[in-house]
């Protein structure tokens, strides 16, 4: 079952500008990242151990809104949230060694308190907010924010990004250079600090979700995304072919810049993974992507592993 909640994606200021498109021929298609899992069994084992294994029935928060006490959550709550974050990164072919930093956790905790106390989400809260603090204000601008979901479930909700066609939360979770994070929760809100503490960028041609290789069906969300650093997707096209080579219907959204890497997002119109009873594979071709002014084509295969119990 897919999650539905109130979310707000942290964005940076972006300038919209028009470019002329050069008339060039693309080189040979760029194939996918290395397949993460050697087999469907390996993919299911990781899903069981590190996705289902990071489940949490609500966080244990000891704060108090009435007294503007941000409180904290348990070390286990934070560890499971990090486990879920790194699982999604590994699933996407990214480095999975992100660590939590205590000082960032503290700031994120203040932001989570402010969101709960005011029952709304805002990346730029002003001093008039109830339970306002400068640390919380800073964290609000650097974090994914959610109401109605906490801990590991918030990470899943950020990856799903239901109703947000720019998948801004997902783009920060899967930002290739991410190495440090902070997490804060109340019993009704989450702040996940992801922005600004970056390391070296891994050498990857692109980041897709769902990506190349095996992925458990409960984690295949309606919005599929494809990211390339500094790419121009204004002329890009998407073609998805199904298990029998048939062309699948997709709705491509207008690209929005400013959240992590530039990203193309589309909806798989006729795919319902909630009723999937057998494995299915889809070939994705992304064409006419401008990278450094040069057109490039990409291709990869998404292999959905049917999971009977959600």
């Amino acid at each position: 079952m897919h999650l539905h909640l109130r979310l707000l994606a942290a964005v940076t200021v972006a300038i919209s500008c028009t470019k002329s498109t050069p008339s060039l021929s693309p080189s040979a298609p760029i194939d996918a990242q290395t397949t993460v899992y050697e087999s469907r069994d390996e993919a299911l084992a990781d899903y069981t151990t590190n996705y289902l294994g990071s489940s949490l029935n609500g966080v244990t928060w000891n704060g108090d809104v009435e007294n503007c006490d941000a409180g904290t959550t348990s070390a286990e709550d934070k560890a499971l949230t990090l486990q879920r974050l790194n699982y999604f990164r590994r699933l996407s072919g990214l480095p999975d060694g992100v660590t939590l930093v205590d000082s960032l956790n503290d700031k994120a905790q203040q932001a989570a308190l402010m969101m709960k106390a005011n029952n709304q989400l805002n990346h730029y809260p002003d001093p008039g907010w109830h339970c306002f603090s400068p640390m919380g204000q800073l964290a609000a601008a650097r974090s994914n924010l959610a109401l109605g979901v906490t801990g590991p479930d918030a990470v899943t909700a950020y990856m799903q990004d239901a109703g947000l066609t720019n998948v801004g939360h997902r783009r920060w979770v899967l930002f290739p250079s991410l190495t440090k994070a902070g997490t804060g929760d109340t019993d009704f809100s989450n702040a996940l600090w992801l922005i600004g503490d970056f390391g070296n960028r891994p050498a990857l041609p692109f980041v897709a979700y769902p990506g190349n290789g095996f992925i458990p069906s409960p984690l295949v969300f309606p919005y599929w995304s494809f990211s390339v650093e500094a790419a121009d997707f204004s002329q890009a096209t998407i073609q998805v072919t199904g298990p029998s080579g048939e062309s699948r219907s997709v709705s491509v959204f207008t690209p929005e810049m400013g959240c992590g890497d530039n990203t193309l997002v589309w909806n798989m119109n006729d795919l319902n993974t909630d009723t999937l009873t057998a494995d299915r594979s889809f070939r994705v071709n992304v064409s006419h992507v401008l990278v450094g002014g040069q057109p490039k084509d990409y291709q990869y295969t998404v292999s959905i592993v049917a999971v009977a119990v959600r």
Side-chain angles (χ1 to χ4, degrees):
M1 180 177 294
H2 294 158
L3 298 171
H4 300 277
L5 66 155
R6 294 163 59 184
L7 295 170
L8 193 63
V11 297
T12 56
V13 176
I15 299 174
S16 177
C17 53
T18 302
K19 295 182 179 179
S20 60
T21 302
S23 179
L24 298 170
S25 297
S27 57
I30 298 172
D31 283 320
Q33 320 100 304
T34 302
T35 302
V36 177
Y37 305 109
E38 294 294 330
S39 67
R40 71 185 304 279
D41 288 344
E42 185 180 346
L44 287 175
D46 196 16
Y47 172 73
T48 300
T49 300
N50 290 297
Y51 182 80
L52 297 180
S54 60
S55 299
L56 187 64
N57 187 23
V59 297
T60 54
W61 179 57
N62 61 7
D64 177 44
V65 168
E66 184 175 347
N67 295 308
C68 290
D69 176 10
T72 189
T73 58
S74 70
E76 180 186 16
D77 293 345
K78 293 180 177 66
L80 291 173
T81 301
L82 179 64
Q83 183 179 349
R84 181 73 58 89
L85 172 68
N86 277 321
Y87 169 78
F88 273 115
R89 288 179 61 82
R90 181 170 59 258
L91 181 64
S92 304
L94 289 163
D96 58 355
V98 176
T99 58
L100 293 179
V101 178
D102 288 343
S103 61
L104 302 184
N105 290 339
D106 292 342
K107 293 179 177 68
Q109 190 63 43
Q110 293 288 337
L113 171 68
M114 290 167 58
M115 303 307 135
K116 175 179 170 66
N118 294 273
N119 195 33
Q120 60 177 299
L121 300 174
N122 192 323
H123 287 292
Y124 307 102
D126 61 50
W129 268 45
H130 185 47
C131 298
F132 176 86
S133 69
M135 285 205 314
Q137 182 186 47
L138 176 62
R142 301 286 185 90
S143 302
N144 284 349
L145 302 172
L147 284 176
V149 70
T150 61
D153 286 342
V155 178
T156 299
Y158 295 140
M159 287 297 299
Q160 182 182 351
D161 255 355
L164 296 176
T165 58
N166 69 351
V167 295
H169 299 92
R170 180 190 299 173
R171 287 156 69 174
W172 285 124
V173 171
L174 300 183
F175 192 62
S177 302
L178 181 66
T179 58
K180 299 177 182 178
T183 186
D185 289 282
T186 69
D187 57 358
F188 189 67
S189 60
N190 172 266
L192 186 64
W193 180 303
L194 300 171
I195 303 169
D197 293 86
F198 302 131
N200 294 328
R201 187 180 183 92
L204 295 170
F206 62 87
V207 176
Y209 192 89
N212 188 56
F214 297 103
I215 180 171
S217 57
L219 303 182
V220 178
F221 307 125
Y223 296 159
W224 291 28
S225 58
F226 178 87
S227 303
V228 177
E229 182 184 18
D232 180 353
F233 289 108
S234 60
Q235 303 298 317
T237 60
I238 297 285
Q239 181 183 31
V240 180
T241 55
S244 301
E246 75 280 9
S247 181
R248 304 303 296 251
S249 172
V250 300
S251 296
V252 182
F253 302 109
T254 301
E256 294 183 34
M257 306 302 104
C259 301
D261 283 339
N262 292 350
T263 299
L264 191 63
V265 184
W266 64 97
N267 185 59
M268 294 288 289
N269 294 328
D270 57 355
L271 177 63
N272 182 3
T273 58
D274 289 333
T275 59
L276 201 65
T277 57
D279 295 359
R280 300 178 75 180
S281 293
F282 297 87
R283 187 68 171 169
V284 180
N285 290 274
V286 186
S287 304
H288 308 301
V289 179
L290 291 177
V291 181
Q294 300 296 315
K296 296 183 182 295
D297 296 346
Y298 302 83
Q299 58 188 16
Y300 58 100
T301 299
V302 177
S303 299
I304 303 176
V305 178
V307 177
V309 180
R310 292 181 174 269

